[in-house]
Amino acid sequence: MPEQRRPVLLAVDDDDHVLRAVRRDLSRAYQERYRVVASRSPAEAMRILDRLRERREEAALILSDQRMPEMTGIEFLVEAGRRFPGARRVLLTAYADTSVAISAINEVRLDHYLVKPWEPPEERLYPVLDDLLSDWESAHEPPYQGIRLVGHRFAPATHRLRDLLTRYRLPFRFEEAEPGDPAVPEVVLPDGRRLARPGHGEVVAALGLATELSHPHYDVAIVGGGPTGLAASVYASSEGMATLLIEAYVPGGQAGTSSRIENYLGFPSGISGVDLTNRAMAQARRFGVDVLAPVEARRLSRAGRACVLNLSDGKEITAATVLLSPGLSYRGLDAEDAARFEGAGIYYGAALSETESCVGRHVWIVGGANSAGQAALHFSRHACHVTMVVRADSLASGMSAYLVDEIAATGNITVMTNTLVVATGGADRLEHITLRDNRSGELTTREAEHVFVFIGARPRTEWLDDLVRRDAHGFLLTGPDLGPVAGLASWDLPRPPLLLETSVPGVFAAGDVRANSVKRLASGVGEGAMAVSMIHRYHSES
């Protein structure tokens, strides 16, 4: 165990000769399992104990001399016990004070007393301390040494950090903060560092997950780390291209939030979006892909034949080609006051970080497509009941048949069709929702603490301005969908755009963000691979 994480044996005595002897004997027998600390005064010893408690370290045994100028040993051990109730407390005393020590055992629950001198320690010291430390170890629950997140469960900022750590598959312990604590949310790292109200980039950097750029110029820069971007990065890097993957949040995209994907080829028992994403990330890193996350692409421009990307962290990246696969953003719930409760009862996507909060509760799912069905089945294994609010006449109109059948066979899922959420309400967190029956117009208000929304999405293409042509809904036009390119100022090649090439030569688009694409995981992965072959062709022409 690292030295600073070993439980502490603390000895306190104002007599230097005695203190050296105690420290020597403790170190000789216990230094491999414990950290031996010595102090000449009770005041200093209290400060040591306070620091240990602040750092969430443990004191296993505290030995104190009885006769000290600032306070007696018994008084000190009483105070020490308030800081570390489980620590074993031993009084060092002269023969004349044994009656005081015996009284202390009964009155203040002192664990033992030792009469000075204790030579030889093998007979008069170690047997006593061995028993006490054995008792302490058997009753002791080691403190949690991993990442801790301190915050308010229904605060949006806390939810975002919970989601970030969950998506990165970083085990952490959540601790409810005291009301009014100005430092929360706070991430406490295993080495003791505390990040108060950190941004996502600060957390990623502190955990050593940030990537340094290894190339001054890239063959291909991929914007968006969903399945499409991940597939393209694996294929491009495996074929020798210098590849950069830029993701605004956590690699995986919307697929990464899916609790279970059951219709993806090769996984007959299904796979979670997080697991699939982590496998893809492991492949990408093995082939040498540089990954920047969480970093947003803010602007795309051209410098001759090169593409230039300006990023949210201040970096400027140049690449011979760019693949745009930034994916989609969930559409907001169009209900009164809904924006006020985002991250405080209303969540977009499966929000697997909130699963623990939903155990034994009633969960509401808004939406009727596959992602909503997968979320309903996931939460049905944890919540007491799941209610799906669906605008359509039935689930079959927008959901795969296998999911419809599974939902029908799950006893604690109720489906409300022809229904909309029209209002939300509560104080600091969501407490109730108002539903409208589209057939009768009837309004009903129901208690609701956990609402997960899956009602469509919009492409993340606003940052491209007018450089790349889009359709009326913001989806990127490619290949034949662009129509004649003779009049386009941005097109200067003698050939027409390739199938996945945008209105800017060397800039490609794939996946959900491309106009008229098939919005399915497998097709997105396929387009990512297809885009790489077209990027190869573009390089060969240049």
Side-chain angles (χ1 to χ4, degrees):
M1 184 183 297
E3 171 69 15
Q4 67 272 21
R5 291 298 176 187
R6 294 178 189 172
V8 167
L9 308 183
L10 174 63
V12 187
D13 199 310
D14 64 325
D15 185 320
D16 286 341
H17 175 74
V18 174
L19 190 62
R20 283 196 299 271
V22 174
R23 185 168 192 167
R24 178 200 64 212
D25 290 342
L26 292 179
S27 298
R28 182 186 302 165
Y30 303 112
Q31 66 179 357
E32 291 186 4
R33 291 183 293 145
Y34 297 93
R35 181 153 55 104
V36 178
V37 179
S39 173
R40 294 185 67 252
S41 78
E44 180 189 49
M46 285 298 180
R47 290 192 291 271
I48 291 171
L49 292 175
D50 287 339
R51 287 197 298 271
L52 292 176
R53 194 165 58 166
E54 288 173 5
R55 295 197 295 256
R56 292 185 172 266
E57 297 183 53
E58 287 294 309
L61 181 78
I62 303 170
L63 300 93
S64 175
D65 184 46
Q66 168 62 4
R67 296 191 178 187
M68 295 185 292
E70 298 173 31
M71 63 173 67
T72 68
I74 292 173
E75 291 171 338
F76 169 75
L77 290 172
V78 168
E79 289 298 317
R82 294 192 177 108
R83 288 162 170 78
F84 288 95
R88 298 303 184 256
R89 294 173 294 168
V90 177
L91 188 68
L92 300 176
T93 184
Y95 181 78
D97 294 325
T98 53
S99 60
V100 174
I102 293 170
S103 297
I105 290 175
N106 297 321
E107 294 173 9
V108 299
R109 302 184 66 83
L110 190 69
D111 292 295
H112 212 282
Y113 72 91
L114 292 170
V115 178
K116 299 181 289 185
W118 52 83
E119 297 292 342
E122 290 78 10
E123 295 180 10
R124 302 180 60 185
L125 177 67
Y126 297 148
V128 172
L129 299 190
D130 286 347
D131 286 344
L132 291 175
L133 290 172
S134 178
D135 288 344
W136 180 83
E137 289 175 356
S138 64
H140 173 62
E141 182 179 344
Y144 178 70
Q145 302 292 348
I147 301 168
R148 293 187 294 120
L149 172 59
V150 183
H152 302 299
R153 187 175 296 276
F154 288 96
T158 300
H159 162 70
R160 288 190 289 270
L161 287 173
R162 283 163 63 99
D163 188 61
L164 179 78
L165 295 171
T166 300
R167 292 280 297 275
Y168 269 110
R169 295 196 73 178
L170 295 170
F172 69 95
R173 174 176 289 175
F174 175 74
E175 298 176 7
E176 189 70 33
E178 294 293 329
D181 187 342
V184 299
E186 182 181 50
V187 176
V188 184
L189 303 179
D191 61 7
R193 284 178 293 163
R194 309 178 81 94
L195 310 178
R197 301 184 301 280
H200 291 168
E202 184 181 354
V203 174
V204 169
L207 292 170
L209 300 173
T211 301
E212 294 296 324
L213 300 179
S214 58
H215 299 278
H217 178 78
Y218 287 87
D219 296 318
V220 57
I222 301 167
V223 179
T228 301
L230 286 167
S233 69
V234 168
Y235 282 104
S237 57
S238 67
E239 294 179 19
M241 293 186 188
T243 305
L244 174 67
L245 182 67
I246 303 165
E247 168 55 42
Y249 184 40
V250 179
Q254 287 190 11
T257 70
S258 179
S259 53
R260 203 74 185 164
I261 302 169
E262 296 186 89
N263 60 350
Y264 188 59
L265 186 67
F267 296 92
S269 299
I271 186 171
S272 74
V274 171
D275 285 339
L276 187 63
T277 296
N278 277 276
R279 294 183 187 211
M281 280 293 295
Q283 280 183 297
R285 292 189 187 281
R286 184 166 68 88
F287 285 118
V289 177
D290 287 347
V291 180
L292 289 182
V295 177
E296 289 185 66
R298 293 280 177 83
R299 184 170 177 268
L300 173 63
S301 58
R302 297 293 299 273
R305 280 290 174 203
C307 299
V308 181
L309 284 164
N310 295 94
L311 308 182
S312 60
D313 64 356
K315 292 187 177 71
E316 184 176 89
I317 303 298
T318 62
T321 56
V322 168
L323 174 62
L324 299 172
S325 59
L328 311 177
S329 298
Y330 286 107
R331 293 193 184 279
L333 183 63
D334 186 17
E336 182 182 346
D337 253 1
R340 187 160 69 91
F341 299 109
E342 288 184 15
I346 295 178
Y347 309 98
Y348 292 92
L352 300 183
S353 58
E354 298 301 320
T355 299
E356 181 183 348
S357 301
C358 296
V359 173
R361 304 299 183 93
H362 188 168
V363 169
W364 296 79
I365 305 290
V366 181
N370 279 5
S371 54
Q374 290 160 350
L377 290 168
H378 167 73
F379 284 112
S380 71
R381 294 190 286 270
H382 307 279
C384 66
H385 199 86
V386 176
T387 299
M388 299 187 69
V389 180
V390 182
R391 181 177 56 181
D393 293 333
S394 71
L395 288 178
S397 62
M399 188 179 295
S400 298
Y402 81 93
L403 283 173
V404 175
D405 293 341
E406 286 189 50
I407 289 170
T410 303
N412 66 335
I413 299 180
T414 299
V415 181
M416 300 177 67
T417 57
N418 289 293
T419 306
L420 289 176
V421 178
V422 295
T424 63
D428 296 330
R429 49 174 284 193
L430 182 68
E431 296 173 5
H432 55 82
I433 57 177
T434 301
L435 305 173
R436 184 181 70 205
D437 188 315
N438 285 342
R439 292 160 296 194
S440 66
E442 180 184 358
L443 297 176
T444 57
T445 298
R446 303 282 296 274
E447 291 183 2
E449 292 182 314
H450 307 278
V451 175
F452 298 87
V453 182
F454 306 82
I455 53 173
R458 57 180 177 77
R460 294 190 179 110
T461 57
E462 302 91 343
W463 61 280
L464 292 167
D465 298 322
D466 296 325
L467 177 67
V468 182
R469 285 189 63 188
R470 296 174 283 170
D471 68 10
H473 303 289
F475 291 90
L476 298 174
L477 296 168
T478 61
D481 290 335
L482 285 165
V485 293
L488 290 178
S490 59
W491 193 261
D492 57 1
L493 294 180
R495 60 163 177 80
L498 301 173
L499 182 62
L500 299 181
E501 198 167 16
T502 68
S503 58
V504 179
V507 177
F508 298 79
D512 290 349
V513 77
R514 190 177 68 83
N516 300 316
S517 65
V518 179
K519 306 299 190 278
R520 285 289 186 269
L521 173 62
S523 61
V525 170
E527 285 196 8
M530 189 189 311
V532 173
S533 67
M534 296 179 188
I535 289 169
H536 264 303
R537 178 174 169 181
Y538 177 84
H539 282 303
S540 67
E541 295 173 348
S542 300

